[in-house]
């Protein structure tokens, strides 16, 4: 069973001085999957990734890597700016002890895969931020590692480069197991099959994207846009919330018109109950719509940053 | 693997204008000193009556003085050669590239050390022009030239290993340079303590620890086992310290 996993993180902890940065963290990364690694700033994502890379040892627990080699792009792109792109990739291959007969082929493949042909003879220091990031990804894949770890690969890139990078990662994900951390939740949602969320060094959840969204799918809301506001309606909803657990809360916003959002458990029965309460009120309703939570809302909900 | 990293180190150094500025400054300053030593020797020779001229010794007044001065300037230039070795790699995250690849910490240390030795060796190599000039003047006693260069090289190895240690301790290259200056000056000035210490044992310890005393001995043509042991252990000590600092990430 363990053979299905490329990375098995088993109850690891990491202590720096008196600070416990990672606390009893466990998760598994399925072979051949693109696995998202999420958490707020300072959650311990980079520390965990460094431990997986064997740059840092865990203070407690074990990490099993079921692969011969691991490529990584950590927080800071490890670029030698005074080298030309091609020489740099050759150098990385040599450091990874790639057989000399294969180096040329491997470098050519990485250059083609990351569309670096135009800049292969240029000094890295003269490249744009987007190209530099591509070179940084190229160094992580050039020696064909089975696992690739990408820590915030899109940070600091403009929107066009972010889309480009996302496509590149998606391409890489077809041939490798990828563990990726990012602040752009939409990006993670598009790219990843599985997600691990951590907070304060502790595991919040590790599951498929769909399951994580379901976990927070209590956050389905009925959006009611109306011309007037009515305290009696708000009171009736609040009363219903107190009486049953299927209705969660009500929020009111003053956009162009008055917008009520009634959060409920997503069940049809609950929705009909809200319609009934609206019917009994004097609200002049313009529009009803259902809003389901996206990964961002699920993420915030799981981190307990919402009410 | 060591050779691969050394090659990369040298390539970076020789493609960077800073490397040439360092070499240019070094040869200009030492060249000026050499010129002054020669001129002052010639002037002294002309000003002293013939019967006392035999007391003027070219080796003591020019050759040894030249090497002592070159050694002084190596003290200033060696930290420039080492300050970026580890600190800039730490700052730029490239040290992680080595840590995550198939390179051992010992290989990293040795590659950086050999790279620094070659860079320092080039600085010494360009000063070969001075003995060459002396040779055309038929002036030098090559025994002292050889011992002078041996002394310089051994001193240089010590400066570089200490400089690399300072560099591995910080991600700021200026801090690395300052720490290595302070370190080298400590091993330089400790000889002064031997002169003022009334305790025979302490005075001898200070004298042995002082880097200058060993240089003076070697430059005067006597390479002792004690001096050789000093430089070998000095280098090994600091290379081990560098390896320990690199490995400390795993603590």
């Amino acid at each position: 069973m363990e053979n299905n996993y490329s990375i098995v993180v088993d109850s690891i902890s990491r202590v720096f001085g008196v600070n416990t940065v990672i606390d009893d963290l466990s998760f598994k990364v399925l072979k051949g999957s693109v696995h998202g690694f999420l958490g707020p700033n300072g959650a311990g994502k980079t520390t965990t990734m460094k431990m997986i890379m064997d740059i840092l040892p865990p203070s407690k627990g074990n990490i099993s890597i079921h692969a011969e080699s691991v490529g990584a792009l950590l927080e800071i792109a490890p670029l030698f700016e005074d080298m030309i792109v091609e020489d740099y990739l050759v150098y990385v291959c040599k450091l990874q002890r790639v057989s000399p007969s294969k180096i040329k082929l491997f470098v050519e493949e990485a250059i083609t895969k990351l569309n670096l042909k135009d800049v292969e003879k240029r000094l890295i220091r003269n490249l744009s931020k987007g190209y530099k990031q591509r070179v940084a990804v190229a160094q992580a894949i050039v020696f064909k590692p089975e696992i690739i770890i990408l820590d915030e690969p899109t940070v600091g890139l403009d929107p066009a480069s972010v889309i480009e990078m996302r496509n590149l990662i998606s391409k890489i994900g077809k041939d490798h197991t990828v563990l990726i951390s990012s602040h752009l939740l939409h990006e993670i949602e598009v790219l990843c099959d599985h997600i691990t969320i951590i907070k304060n060094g502790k595991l919040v959840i590790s599951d498929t994207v769909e399951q994580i969204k379901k976990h927070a799918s209590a956050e389905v809301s009925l959006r009611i846009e109306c011309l007037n506001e009515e305290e009696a309606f708000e009171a009736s909803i609040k009363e219903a919330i107190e009486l049953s657990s299927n209705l969660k809360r009500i929020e009111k916003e003053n956009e162009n018109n008055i917008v009520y959002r009634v959060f409920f458990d997503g069940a049809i029965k609950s929705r009909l109950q809200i319609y009934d309460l609206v019917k009994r009120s004097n609200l002049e309703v313009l529009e009803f719509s259902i809003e389901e939570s996206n990964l961002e809302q699920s993420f915030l909900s799981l981190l307990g940053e919402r009410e | 693997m060591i050779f691969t990293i050394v090659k990369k180190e040298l390539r970076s150094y020789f493609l960077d204008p800073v490397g040439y500025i360092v070499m240019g400054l070094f040869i200009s300053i030492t060249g000026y000193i050499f010129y002054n030593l020669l001129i002052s020797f010639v002037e002294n020779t002309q000003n002293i009556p013939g019967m006392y001229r035999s007391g003027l010794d070219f080796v003591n007044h020019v050759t040894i003085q030249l090497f002592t001065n070159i050694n002084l300037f190596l003290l200033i230039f060696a930290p420039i050669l080492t300050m970026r070795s580890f600190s800039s790699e730490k700052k730029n995250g490239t040290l992680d590239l080595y840590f995550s690849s198939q390179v051992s910490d010992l290989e990293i240390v040795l590659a950086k050390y050999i790279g620094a030795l070659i860079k320092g060796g080039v600085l010494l190599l360009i000063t070969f022009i001075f003995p060459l000039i002396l040779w055309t003047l038929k002036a030098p006693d090559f025994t002292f030239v050889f011992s002078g260069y041996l002394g310089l090289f051994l001193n240089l190895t010590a400066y570089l290993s200490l400089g690399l240690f300072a560099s591995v301790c910080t991600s700021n290259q200026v801090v690395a340079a300052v720490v290595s200056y302070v370190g080298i000056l400590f091993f330089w000035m400790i000889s002064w303590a031997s002169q003022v210490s009334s305790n025979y044992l302490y005075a001898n310890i200070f004298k042995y620890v002082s880097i200058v005393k060993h240089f003076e001995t070697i430059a005067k043509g006597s390479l002792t086992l004690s001096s050789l042991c000093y430089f070998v252990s000095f280098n090994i000590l600091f290379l081990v310290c560098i390896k320990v600092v690199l490995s400390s990430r795993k603590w």
Side-chain angles (χ1 to χ4, degrees), chain B residues 162-173:
Chain B
L162 198 154
L164 287 173
F165 173 67
S167 182
V168 83
C169 292
T170 173
S171 55
N172 184 322
Q173 50 180 308

Side-chain angles (χ1 to χ4, degrees), chain A residues 54-274:
Chain A
D54 200 26
I55 292 174
L56 279 176
S59 308
K60 235 170 61 185
N62 283 310
I63 297 174
S64 311
I65 304 290
H66 302 289
E68 286 197 356
S69 54
V70 182
L73 162 57
L74 294 178
E75 225 173 2
I76 310 170
L79 300 174
F80 291 109
E81 302 234 332
D82 55 355
M83 292 180 97
I84 65 168
V85 174
E86 192 183 24
D87 287 352
Y88 172 67
L89 295 177
V90 169
Y91 185 58
V92 171
C93 283
K94 284 181 179 170
L95 292 180
Q96 295 290 351
R97 296 186 197 273
V98 173
S99 151
S101 59
K102 290 182 183 165
I103 290 179
K104 198 168 177 253
L105 180 73
F106 279 20
V107 169
E108 271 173 18
E109 278 181 21
I111 284 174
T112 310
K113 202 174 239 177
L114 286 133
N115 301 326
L116 290 166
K117 196 79 194 158
D118 297 344
V119 297
E120 65 178 338
K121 300 284 181 201
R122 282 178 62 184
L123 276 177
I124 294 174
R125 82 156 65 94
N126 295 335
L127 300 180
S128 66
K129 175 100 185 160
Y131 267 116
K132 278 184 184 171
Q133 200 67 355
R134 273 201 235 173
V135 177
V137 175
Q139 66 78 28
I141 66 157
V142 66
F143 56 100
K144 295 188 187 279
E146 289 154 63
I147 301 171
I148 293 169
I149 293 175
L150 303 170
D151 190 5
E152 309 274 359
T154 53
V155 77
L157 297 182
D158 61 55
S161 305
V162 168
I163 293 167
E164 206 174 337
M165 185 59 69
R166 192 192 301 152
N167 294 337
L168 285 174
I169 294 166
S170 172
K171 213 193 284 184
I172 292 164
K174 285 173 188 159
D175 308 322
H176 308 264
T177 302
V178 180
L179 177 65
I180 176 175
S181 82
S182 174
H183 283 304
L184 301 174
L185 299 174
H186 172 63
E187 191 175 282
I188 293 286
E189 196 172 359
V190 171
L191 287 170
C192 301
D193 321 309
H194 288 74
I195 292 176
T196 294
I197 300 177
I198 62 169
K199 187 188 175 187
N200 296 333
K202 288 181 181 162
L203 181 72
V204 175
I205 193 167
S206 185
D207 217 325
T208 61
V209 176
E210 289 314 312
Q211 283 301 319
I212 284 178
K213 280 161 82 176
K214 264 188 201 163
H215 262 281
S217 67
E219 292 295 286
V220 176
S221 64
L222 183 66
R223 183 178 182 276
I224 309 159
E225 188 173 347
C226 34
L227 287 173
N228 61 330
E229 58 183 303
E230 197 190 68
E231 279 181 19
F233 169 71
E234 290 172 42
S236 64
I237 292 282
K238 279 174 185 165
E239 195 183 333
I241 290 169
E242 275 174 26
L243 291 172
S244 66
S245 60
N246 55 340
L247 300 191
K248 305 288 177 188
R249 66 181 192 276
I250 181 167
E251 285 176 4
K252 185 173 73 180
E253 273 175 51
N254 207 338
E255 295 173 10
N256 290 332
N257 297 303
I258 301 295
V259 173
Y260 287 106
R261 274 191 185 82
V262 183
F263 292 83
F264 65 110
D265 59 7
I268 298 286
K269 198 178 149 197
S270 312
R271 208 193 298 186
L272 291 171
Q273 187 186 354
I274 302 167

